[in-house]
């Protein structure tokens, strides 16, 4: 028996080894990866699973599926102030995943491995009679003691969010209900913007050092802004409020919401944003915003923490909005 | 929104948090785990995926499924000389996984978390329209520089294996073809032994320190002894031979092979053994065998490495046996 004899060996040699140049991967030729943690750092580890038909569409471009699986994990690292170290990929492939599909999948993954400096360090590829199922375990590093937790928010601090919120959730809705009233007035570039935000999450890794310097608490917005901020407040043991009109919307999302105000609920609770929600001391805001802007990342103050429990979402007049479900649960 | 409000929060609180007492898990309340690698250690990381109907039977006892998913990863750690640090579990649950199923699954997992000192540090639970799919990422530690690679074997060293080989593969065959000739003479306890070895892998973690001290190269036997030893030799850049009659068989496996000699091929190539195959300098054999025996783990010399390439499997007369497929590929 020689290396490359079995189907799995050939698969690894062709598709995975080119993404596994890091010495910790041991060329994907051993039972495990061997990681010498960089001195003075803590490791941050996150693991997300994605299932075709649940977390993405089976007919999404294969490269986009691969990138989403990696990026949703990198988004978790970013929120914790971490720099990517490497990732492990478990891939359960249905029979439909033919050579062309695999090539496109690993092309997409390879582009991200290079772009984010996140080599593949190991994993497992198996066949499944069911839908394509992926799990990525991403490892990152933070300088020792600088992990940004969910638990550090204190009353009287500012709640901020990066980028714009709701685009991905509206992009999903647009795909499901393209003829829906709220979308009719959108021009082609606006539709494209929403669709692209759903298909291609953009983890905010550039914000990681700023979060380490300034944030009391942070998380990424993956299950919906309202529910995710509520979770952060619970973890921190304080209450808070956000004003819906202060939540940053893209031009496309704003146009959809203007046409059909109910879509604001989708934007605020739909998830898949992969933006950063963070809580900062008010005094840190100017420096944080300036440095973020210098990186080309807009950040907006959307509310404040307070003594108490729970999150209130207020409209522009200061009246509370009700959300039956604050975040989307895939479970 | 409060902790415990969503289905996923309740699921975590009830089933997962009790297994996640390690501080690195952050109570499963954050986006990621935070690991301060113990000083002077390297991290060993492995990730295996298992799909119902491919790697186990959907109607296997739920606790055994959970344990198999963890243990096949712990077996990789053992082969590398590592001590378990913790594990991440991604679980894609079909609708059939009801409360009783989940309770049994997590009872089984909890027993192993305690028995192996391997807390759950994080992961993800999602629903799937397909078969139950699990992925475990296991982290272990080795004293810095003491990772036991696949690549260290040199010509003229002994090839050893722990325990007995072929029980699990025969246990699977017994389940698939209970009336097969080779199994007819087996008594109930022998059938039970084979079935149990398939259902309940026993990772050889106790051997890890001995492998660090004595082994030049090691791997766990998961895909079949012949193919796995061949892989180790390729990785090490040498050749070797094993004598089939020196491969240790249990009384049950020996009885089945005596009744139907073709089953030897199943035993040697079927996999799921989760024993350790290692290559040691001949001079280290006595101390290694004595220390293993003191731990209650039998080890057998089954062959030798040599200059060259490829693995020869010899019968008792020294004639080569042919194996079309040296190891089972789930892929």
């Amino acid at each position: 028996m020689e290396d490359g004899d079995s189907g799995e060996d050939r698969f690894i040699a062709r598709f995975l080894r080119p993404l596994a140049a890091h010495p910790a991967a041991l060329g994907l030729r051993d039972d495990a990866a061997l990681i010498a943690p960089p001195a003075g750092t803590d490791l941050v580890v996150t693991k997300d699973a994605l299932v075709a038909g649940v977390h993405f569409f089976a007919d999404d471009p294969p490269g986009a599926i691969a990138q989403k699986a990696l990026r949703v994990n990198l988004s978790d690292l970013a929120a914790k102030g971490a720099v990517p170290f490497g990732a492990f990929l478990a891939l359960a492939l249905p029979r439909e995943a033919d050579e062309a599909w695999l090539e496109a999948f690993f092309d997409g993954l390879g582009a991200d491995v290079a772009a984010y400096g996140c080599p593949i360090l190991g994993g497992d590829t198996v066949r499944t009679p069911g839908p394509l199922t992926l799990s990525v375990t991403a490892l990152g590093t933070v300088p020792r003691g600088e992990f940004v937790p969910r638990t550090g928010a204190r009353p009287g601090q500012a709640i901020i969010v990066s980028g714009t919120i709701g685009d991905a959730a509206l992009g999903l809705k647009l795909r499901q209900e393209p003829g829906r009233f709220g979308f009719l007035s959108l021009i082609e570039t606006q539709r494209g913007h929403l669709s692209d935000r759903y298909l291609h999450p953009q983890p905010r890794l550039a914000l990681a050092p700023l979060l380490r310097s300034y944030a009391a608490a942070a998380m990424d917005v993956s299950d919906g802004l309202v529910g995710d901020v509520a979770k952060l407040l619970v973890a921190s043991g304080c209450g808070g409020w956000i004003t819906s009109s202060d939540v940053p919307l893209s031009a496309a999302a704003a146009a959809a919401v203007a046409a059909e105000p109910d879509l604001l609920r989708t934007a605020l609770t739909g998830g898949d944003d992969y933006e950063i929600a963070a809580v900062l001391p008010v005094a840190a805001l100017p420096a944080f915003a300036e440095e973020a802007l210098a990186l080309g990342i807009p950040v907006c103050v959307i509310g404040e923490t307070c003594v108490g429990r729970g999150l209130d979402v207020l409209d522009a007049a200061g009246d509370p909005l009700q959300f039956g479900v604050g975040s989307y649960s895939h479970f």
Side-chain angles (χ1 to χ4, degrees), chain A:
Chain A
M1 308 256 318
E2 302 270 330
D3 195 29
D5 263 355
S6 79
E8 186 165 13
D9 288 338
R10 279 193 299 272
F11 179 87
I12 290 171
R14 173 159 175 199
F15 293 119
L16 280 162
R17 194 161 293 136
L19 314 184
H22 193 286
L26 303 174
L28 304 180
R29 286 187 178 90
D30 214 307
D31 304 72
L34 172 60
I35 296 171
T41 65
D42 289 328
L43 276 180
V44 179
V45 185
T46 183
K47 179 171 190 168
D48 277 341
L50 296 88
V51 179
V54 180
H55 303 88
F56 58 89
F57 292 86
D59 62 352
D60 279 343
I65 294 172
Q67 293 177 336
K68 182 176 262 193
L70 182 63
R71 292 179 186 186
V72 301
N73 282 282
L74 297 181
S75 178
D76 283 323
L77 295 184
K80 305 293 101 185
V83 172
F85 182 88
F88 294 77
L89 170 67
L91 193 53
L93 290 173
R95 287 282 156 206
E96 311 83 273
D98 60 11
E99 186 154 331
W101 190 96
L102 288 169
E103 196 138 350
F105 180 91
F106 285 102
D107 276 357
L109 188 61
D112 269 17
V113 160
Y116 295 111
C118 187
I120 300 299
L121 302 179
D124 197 10
T125 305
V126 298
R127 288 284 176 187
T128 180
L132 174 68
T133 303
L134 307 93
S135 140
V136 170
T137 308
L139 276 64
T141 57
V142 286
R144 181 144 291 173
E146 295 190 22
F147 178 86
V148 181
R150 275 195 200 175
T151 49
R154 298 293 170 258
Q157 296 181 323
I159 304 174
I160 68 98
V161 75
S162 65
T164 58
I165 291 294
D167 295 317
L170 292 170
L172 172 59
K173 197 71 98 184
L174 172 64
R175 183 154 165 181
Q176 293 166 326
E177 307 171 47
R180 188 169 167 150
F181 183 72
F183 301 129
L184 293 182
S185 65
L186 299 192
I187 60 172
E188 203 46 43
T189 54
Q190 291 175 324
R191 290 168 175 265
H193 172 79
L194 298 181
S195 302
D196 187 65
R197 285 292 307 266
Y198 174 73
L199 211 51
H200 296 111
Q202 305 289 341
R204 291 294 192 182
L205 286 161
L207 277 183
L210 276 65
L211 296 173
R212 294 202 304 269
S213 297
Y214 298 112
M219 68 186 294
D220 74 327
V221 182
S222 54
D223 294 335
L225 178 71
V226 170
D228 284 343
V229 170
K231 278 184 207 161
L232 185 150
L233 296 178
V234 167
S236 292
C238 58
W241 50 266
I242 61 179
T243 301
S244 62
S245 53
D246 288 340
V247 173
L249 300 183
S250 67
V257 168
E260 190 182 339
D262 259 8
L263 288 176
L264 182 61
R265 182 176 306 269
T266 301
L268 298 185
T269 64
D272 278 333
D273 296 294
Y274 302 104
E275 295 291 352
I276 302 290
V279 175
L280 283 73
V282 172
L285 275 177
F288 176 77
E290 188 184 344
E291 291 185 38
L293 203 63
L295 296 169
I297 302 174
V299 293
C300 280
V301 177
I302 58 170
E304 213 176 290
T305 55
C306 59
V307 175
R309 301 188 69 136
L311 173 68
D312 289 321
V313 184
L314 310 175
D315 65 17
D319 294 322
L321 297 170
Q322 295 303 324
F323 292 93
V325 173
S327 68
Y328 181 70
S329 173
H330 287 296
F331 181 65

